[in-house]
Amino acid sequence: MSKLVKIMLKDIRFFAHHGVYENEKIEGQYFSINLEMECVLDKVFESDLIKDTIDYEHIYNIVKDIVLSYSYNLLETIADKIISELLLIPKIKSIFVEVRKMNPPIEGSEISYVAVSLYESKSS
């Protein structure tokens, strides 16, 4: 019987240049990413080896490359790119990602953040 493990990376923060408005792309702003990945990691419980689990640093670097290498208009696009890349990792069976734009440029507002979440799983 396979054991399904949930691995989470919470509040991964970046200063990046995404948004619909030109000033967002030029000036930049803070973003926060939350990930929850369901993984099949049967071997790790006996081996206790990193090769048998999901390397958090590897996941972080994939997300970092997506968020910092290109300027996207929409949070939805960022979330989709993250899921598409991470689902290429065989041990990952499903992913929930939340992308937050901190202090969004909504005139006259006092909003901590706006967010988009996306969930996808591999077909069995």
Side-chain angles (χ1 to χ4, degrees), residues 6-40:
K6 186 179 281 189
I7 294 179
M8 296 170 271
L9 281 75
K10 297 292 188 176
D11 200 22
I12 308 167
R13 291 180 232 158
F14 299 103
F15 187 85
H17 300 269
H18 306 291
V20 173
Y21 302 113
E22 195 60 31
N23 66 320
E24 293 179 284
K25 292 180 185 293
I26 294 169
E27 296 171 16
Q29 58 203 312
Y30 287 97
F31 293 84
S32 172
I33 313 286
N34 290 312
L35 293 174
E36 293 184 12
M37 300 165 287
E38 290 182 324
C39 311
V40 175

Side-chain angles (χ1 to χ4, degrees), residues 90-102:
K91 292 177 181 125
I92 297 176
K93 300 304 173 194
S94 69
I95 301 175
F96 170 84
V97 63
E98 178 185 59
V99 180
R100 296 178 178 184
K101 179 187 289 190
M102 312 311 289

Side-chain angles (χ1 to χ4, degrees), residues 31-101:
F31 293 84
S32 172
I33 313 286
N34 290 312
L35 293 174
E36 293 184 12
M37 300 165 287
E38 290 182 324
C39 311
V40 175
L41 304 174
D42 294 332
K43 292 180 183 178
V44 75
F45 300 106
E46 294 190 22
S47 72
D48 195 33
L49 298 173
I50 195 164
K51 72 176 183 66
D52 292 326
T53 190
I54 300 296
D55 182 344
Y56 315 141
E57 185 175 3
H58 179 64
I59 298 298
Y60 170 82
N61 285 325
I62 290 170
V63 173
K64 179 182 174 184
D65 286 347
I66 291 167
V67 174
L68 297 181
S69 68
Y70 187 79
S71 180
Y72 299 101
N73 291 323
L74 304 175
L75 299 178
E76 293 87 343
T77 305
I78 299 167
D80 183 61
K81 298 283 185 194
I82 290 169
I83 283 182
S84 295
E85 280 297 310
L86 293 180
L87 281 177
L88 295 174
I89 298 170
K91 292 177 181 125
I92 297 176
K93 300 304 173 194
S94 69
I95 301 175
F96 170 84
V97 63
E98 178 185 59
V99 180
R100 296 178 178 184
K101 179 187 289 190

